[in-house]
Amino acid sequence: MKKTKKISRFLAGLAFIVGISPFQSCDIDVIPQDRYVEELIWSDPSTIEMYVNGLYAEFKTFEFGRISNLGYDNATDALTDIMKYNSTTAGNGTVNILASNANQFGPGSVGINYWGNGYTRIRRINEFLDGLYTKSSLSDGDRLKYEAEARFVRGYTYFWLLRLHGSVILLDNLSQYATKDHARSSEEDGWNFVAADFAFAAEHLNKTNLSGRATKGAAYSMLARAWIYAASIAENDRKQFNSDPLTGIPQEKALGYYTNAMNAANEVVKLANEGLYELDANFASIFHNKNTKEAIFRVDFSAPLVRHQYDLGFAPPRDAAGTLVYGVPTAELVDEFEMKDGTKFSWGNPTHQANPYANREPRFYATILFNGAKWKNRTINTTEADAVEGIVQYGLSGDPKRTVTGYYTRKLLDSTNTNFVVNGSTQSWIELRYAEVLLILAEAQAGANQLGDAVGTLNTLRGKRGLPNVFSNTKAGVMELIEHERIVELAFEGHRFWDLRRWRKAHTVLNGVQFTGHKVVPAGNSFSYEVVSADNTNRSFTGALYYLPIPEAEDLRNNALDQIKGW
């Protein structure tokens, strides 16, 4: 674990002095060289404010579905059945290497490594919390507000560590840093710790919705997300995959955790009823409208200094020379979208098969670019005849920079941005949406066997998306409806991989299979559609991957830390 010596090693607020946002792609962890700077922080309220702003840089680590150390947008979705990365080479194609070989994960080469960076952030937050009460002259009210914000970020950081490892080291005060040796906590204690941070934040933050800053609604939303993870693990893990005594949660805790998730989500619903949040009737506009009330916690960008490169990574090749086309939607995702009348799409239905992209639900057209789609004053052509945007077989080129499934992403792209190679992109990243809160609420209600309420919550969301009501009166049936809605509603927002892991379904959905695309073949005045593999080897996910290993170097330097069993 990386150790810092004193609080003067973190003054991210200095970034603002030179006009750099904490969400810009740069190193904001400035290292002052003397104690005078540390004393200056606590004597000036404006520098304290800058310091807190800097803490929010942690949200950049995971924006646009990115994962620490892979460093690519949508990387986690590309580990699943809804997105396929096109490259076979290390770097652009590392996610494919990981997806096809579970042996790529290990203590010496963990595949996904957030441990060191996460604990560096936690150390700095704990230093800030200590200084807040021992060195600052702020009022009690200001201290509580800043503590709430800092604990919101700490809760988020620990949330990710728990997602990855289950059992981690819990540190919440500077006295614990007197020794370098710390043991892991139980997974149950970890989720309770995270929940306590978010609950404190929810109690002490204001309701006002602010871009890039924690609010009461954001804290309750994260609290609901944390509890639904804990509940899922308690219900589904049952010590089937790991013998480590510190991983897993007793199954009897599930109902209480579902209830906690339900309560937290309902607090957000109350705020929505007060007018703070609401589902957006125009699904496509959610990700481009900075005034949408569906966004609960949002990271904004602004040219020229604060930009990102999502369009560069996922726009179709004809949008601009130099597009990278990291990943594309799979046929599995495309087939998940319903018809506009709410019936399930089926290739076995002659009407659907004859024109598979007609009369689909609104979210389909806002999420997928397909053969014949209108996009930036042209018609997308994914047939093999198009040498620029047409489908190419996966593996024939190390980095083809075009689709291997017959589809391109539409969601999150900016349809008005025609010069993103030079100017970058500025659409917001929405970390928390009101739609996700309703999906959490429905799942918590189902977990608590309130099936009618769960279906009602789902239908609230579906109605806003222009779809008819659904119905099920069994828990398995309701959970199937929830999984479907999470796939199509949250596609490319970084949820699918973690959903499959917390439901303990990844070892069946992501193992021993190859995901597919659709090759469109002209046939006279119409087209036929061939299913083609988008993989050249089977996917690989073993039960051990539900708890990723602690990096070997961290284990070696901490005498009290033992590796998670199975690794």
Side-chain angles (χ1 to χ4, degrees):
M1 183 188 318
K2 296 178 182 177
K3 307 295 184 180
T4 56
K5 297 297 184 185
K6 57 187 177 181
I7 198 168
S8 61
R9 295 193 65 185
F10 179 56
L11 185 52
L14 284 178
F16 287 83
I17 295 174
V18 296
I20 300 174
S21 161
F23 300 112
Q24 189 174 352
S25 295
C26 63
D27 182 3
I28 66 162
D29 290 337
V30 180
I31 304 177
Q33 299 299 315
D34 55 63
R35 293 292 295 190
Y36 175 74
V37 174
E38 178 184 349
E39 294 164 2
L40 181 62
I41 295 171
W42 299 114
S43 65
D44 185 348
S46 66
T47 59
I48 298 175
E49 176 71 11
M50 293 176 189
Y51 194 123
V52 174
N53 283 342
L55 296 180
Y56 286 96
E58 205 59 31
F59 288 90
K60 186 170 183 60
T61 304
F62 304 103
E63 68 188 13
F64 292 102
R66 194 177 300 161
I67 184 67
S68 183
N69 89 295
L70 283 183
Y72 291 90
D73 297 334
N74 285 329
T76 54
D77 278 346
L79 289 169
T80 76
D81 52 348
I82 69 171
M83 170 165 276
K84 173 64 184 180
Y85 260 40
N86 295 310
S87 176
T88 62
T89 60
N92 290 359
T94 296
V95 69
N96 286 322
I97 296 171
L98 294 174
S100 63
N101 187 354
N103 292 328
Q104 292 292 324
F105 294 87
S109 177
V110 296
I112 298 174
N113 183 1
Y114 177 57
W115 188 279
N117 289 340
Y119 277 104
T120 295
R121 179 66 66 191
I122 289 164
R123 170 67 184 253
R124 289 168 176 170
I125 291 170
N126 288 338
E127 288 174 331
F128 172 76
L129 290 171
D130 179 79
L132 189 63
Y133 285 96
T134 63
K135 298 182 176 69
S136 81
S137 57
L138 294 172
S139 68
D140 289 344
D142 284 342
R143 282 196 181 107
L144 278 175
K145 181 181 81 73
Y146 283 135
E147 180 183 357
E149 288 192 82
R151 290 182 65 173
F152 178 83
V153 181
R154 188 175 69 182
Y156 182 78
T157 305
Y158 265 120
F159 174 83
W160 273 97
L161 287 167
L162 286 164
R163 256 182 169 182
L164 290 164
H165 306 286
S167 170
V168 300
I169 300 167
L170 299 180
L171 301 168
D172 67 351
N173 65 81
L174 285 190
S175 66
Q176 294 170 284
Y177 294 90
T179 175
K180 69 178 181 63
D181 298 325
H182 303 278
R184 291 186 285 119
S185 72
S186 70
E187 185 168 10
E188 181 180 358
D189 285 347
W191 288 111
N192 288 333
F193 182 95
V194 166
D197 270 353
F198 289 137
F200 183 91
E203 180 181 357
H204 296 288
L205 289 171
N206 294 326
K207 296 179 182 180
T208 305
N209 208 15
L210 301 171
S211 171
R213 294 294 287 262
T215 61
K216 189 177 293 292
Y220 274 125
S221 298
M222 281 302 307
L223 181 60
R225 190 191 276 181
W227 281 130
I228 205 69
Y229 268 77
S232 301
I233 293 163
E235 179 168 2
N236 299 307
D237 184 71
R238 306 180 191 179
K239 299 300 294 182
Q240 300 172 82
F241 309 100
N242 191 289
S243 62
D244 193 300
L246 296 176
T247 62
I249 300 172
Q251 191 177 358
E252 60 268 20
K253 299 282 186 177
L255 179 58
Y257 287 168
Y258 280 127
T259 301
N260 291 346
M262 192 166 23
N263 291 340
N266 274 322
E267 290 296 327
V268 185
V269 173
K270 289 179 185 177
L271 295 173
N273 291 338
E274 294 176 16
L276 269 75
Y277 312 115
E278 66 179 349
L279 294 172
D280 200 317
N282 186 344
F283 183 76
S285 75
I286 293 170
F287 310 98
H288 309 283
N289 176 13
K290 295 187 187 300
N291 295 316
T292 180
K293 285 189 173 182
E294 191 154 324
I296 295 175
F297 185 86
R298 186 183 74 235
V299 177
D300 284 342
F301 299 82
S302 179
L305 290 178
V306 189
R307 303 172 294 176
H308 58 82
Q309 295 186 325
Y310 189 88
D311 293 88
L312 179 66
F314 294 91
R318 277 202 177 85
D319 274 24
T323 54
L324 301 174
V325 196
Y326 291 136
V328 291
T330 62
E332 283 74 17
L333 173 61
V334 168
D335 292 350
E336 195 75 27
F337 289 92
E338 298 170 22
M339 306 301 291
K340 69 178 181 180
D341 64 1
T343 58
K344 182 175 175 59
F345 173 82
S346 172
W347 287 99
N349 182 313
T351 302
H352 297 179
Q353 185 183 62
N355 198 351
Y357 309 132
N359 300 313
R360 303 292 284 272
E361 62 162 293
R363 289 178 295 192
F364 172 78
Y365 299 106
T367 305
I368 308 294
L369 289 174
F370 50 89
N371 187 66
K374 303 300 182 183
W375 177 248
K376 293 186 177 178
N377 298 317
R378 70 181 189 275
T379 300
I380 297 290
N381 179 359
T382 64
T383 69
E384 288 182 311
D386 191 318
V388 177
E389 290 186 338
I391 190 172
V392 62
Q393 182 180 334
Y394 175 70
L396 288 184
S397 170
D399 197 5
K401 295 182 172 62
R402 56 198 273 203
T403 184
V404 298
T405 65
Y407 302 102
Y408 293 96
T409 64
R410 165 66 180 88
K411 187 178 183 180
L412 302 180
L413 294 180
D414 183 353
S415 63
T416 67
N417 191 342
T418 59
N419 199 16
F420 52 78
V421 175
V422 175
N423 294 334
S425 302
T426 57
Q427 58 268 44
S428 300
W429 164 248
I430 303 177
E431 172 68 32
L432 290 164
R433 278 203 290 133
Y434 187 51
E436 184 198 347
V437 173
L438 291 182
L439 289 168
I440 291 171
L441 177 58
E443 186 175 345
Q445 289 167 331
N449 288 309
Q450 299 178 18
L451 302 184
D453 290 340
V455 171
T457 301
L458 277 183
N459 286 331
T460 296
L461 174 60
R462 286 175 59 84
K464 204 68 173 182
R465 302 302 183 233
L467 290 166
N469 288 350
V470 291
F471 175 76
S472 178
N473 58 7
T474 68
K475 185 175 179 180
V478 173
M479 281 304 302
E480 184 177 341
L481 294 174
I482 290 168
E483 180 173 358
H484 162 77
E485 288 298 327
R486 288 186 69 91
I487 290 171
V488 296
E489 177 72 30
L490 302 177
F492 312 144
E493 296 180 53
H495 292 276
R496 179 63 172 162
F497 182 64
W498 310 105
D499 283 347
L500 289 171
R501 287 177 85 249
R502 68 186 176 89
W503 291 328
R504 298 304 189 251
K505 297 179 68 170
H507 67 289
T508 58
V509 175
L510 306 179
N511 190 59
V513 295
Q514 295 186 23
F515 298 121
T516 63
H518 292 135
K519 183 167 71 173
V520 182
V521 181
N525 293 325
S526 61
F527 298 98
S528 63
Y529 303 86
E530 297 179 7
V531 176
V532 295
S533 179
D535 290 318
N536 58 7
T537 187
N538 283 352
R539 298 291 182 107
S540 174
F541 190 103
T542 63
L545 296 185
Y546 289 122
Y547 293 104
L548 294 183
I550 297 166
E552 188 174 53
E554 306 293 344
D555 190 24
L556 290 174
R557 66 169 59 101
N558 183 342
N559 293 327
L561 180 64
D562 60 327
Q563 184 58 262
I564 293 172
K565 285 192 175 180
W567 295 100

